[in-house]
Amino acid sequence: MNNKVIIIGAGGHGKVIADIVKLNGDIVYGFLDDHRTEPVLGFPVIGRTDNINDFINEDFFFFIAIGDNKTRQKIFQLFHNIKWYTAIHPKAVIAEDVKVGVCTAVMANAVINSGSSIGNGVIINTAASVDHDNVIGDFSHVSPGAHLAGNVSIGERCWIGIGASVINNIYIVTDSIVAAGAVVIKDINEAGIYVGVPAKRKL
């Protein structure tokens, strides 16, 4: 049976999620968006975010396709008794024992290796790699081409920038940002923006 999916957010991320839904043989019923009204990729915008309640009792799944970590979490926590969709691209490579939370996106050519656990509302973006025994906290984002070595633990609402690298056995505290291209070689115990090679906290 095909799942009918309503995507919250009709921007670029929403378009990627719509593509994943289609590739998985499911149905994009439409978008909810606070700023757009015109169709996206031929799919209608059927309301605003606060119209979710109009559809909850129907046979729909929902996905929050909003890039901002805190906004994604806020929307997720507002609604209960809802069926959340998990969007995994068919060209992602995920080990059999990996745990992936609801409302999480795993994009094309991403790799998640054995023993890893991915939280709710996470984005593992295009061609990112998450090696063995990683823990990715809820509503974090691992950007395109970022690489996490083994035994990395990342808190909630973290952002690992495009092309960033994290060596093995590293802990990154909640609400941290690792800038594009940065290389993390020490634990990050204080939230902030970390830049450079090796990554240091930006003042």
Side-chain angles (χ1 to χ4, degrees):
M1 182 177 178
N2 302 101
N3 297 312
K4 294 185 292 184
V5 183
I6 294 174
I7 300 171
I8 303 163
H13 187 39
K15 290 193 286 187
V16 175
I17 296 303
D19 185 58
I20 293 174
V21 172
K22 291 190 299 179
L23 288 170
N24 285 327
D26 291 321
I27 298 165
V28 179
Y29 186 81
F31 292 91
L32 298 175
D33 194 280
D34 293 342
H35 306 288
R36 297 170 184 258
T37 57
E38 68 280 3
V40 176
L41 299 178
F43 301 110
V45 175
I46 56 177
R48 296 169 55 85
T49 302
D50 54 13
N51 293 125
I52 292 176
N53 287 317
D54 298 338
F55 300 95
I56 285 178
N57 293 326
E58 301 293 334
D59 191 25
F60 294 115
F61 285 80
F62 295 83
F63 190 92
I64 306 168
I66 295 173
D68 182 77
N69 294 337
K70 291 182 179 179
T71 302
R72 210 161 56 251
Q73 182 181 39
K74 180 180 178 181
I75 294 172
F76 186 92
Q77 293 177 338
L78 280 175
F79 299 96
H80 305 282
N81 301 318
I82 195 169
K83 294 187 292 186
W84 295 111
Y85 188 79
T86 299
I88 299 176
H89 196 285
K91 290 187 177 180
V93 178
I94 303 176
E96 288 185 3
D97 64 337
V98 168
K99 297 177 182 177
V100 179
V102 298
C103 209
T104 283
V106 183
M107 305 300 197
N109 299 317
V111 177
I112 307 175
N113 281 332
S114 181
S116 291
S117 177
I118 313 298
N120 297 326
V122 172
I123 302 170
I124 307 296
N125 220 316
T126 308
S129 64
V130 176
D131 219 303
H132 65 87
D133 300 301
N134 275 222
V135 177
I136 311 296
D138 295 345
F139 309 103
S140 286
H141 183 170
V142 181
S143 296
H147 301 293
L148 310 181
N151 291 294
V152 171
S153 180
I154 294 175
E156 295 184 2
R157 298 181 302 277
C158 290
W159 191 298
I160 310 300
I162 188 168
S165 299
V166 181
I167 70 165
N168 57 303
N169 302 313
I170 290 293
Y171 168 75
I172 298 177
V173 72
T174 288
D175 291 323
S176 295
I177 296 172
V178 176
V183 178
V184 180
I185 63 171
K186 294 181 179 180
D187 287 350
I188 292 177
N189 295 305
E190 181 182 6
I193 300 173
Y194 289 79
V195 303
V197 181
K200 295 181 180 180
R201 192 171 189 269
K202 184 178 180 181
L203 298 178

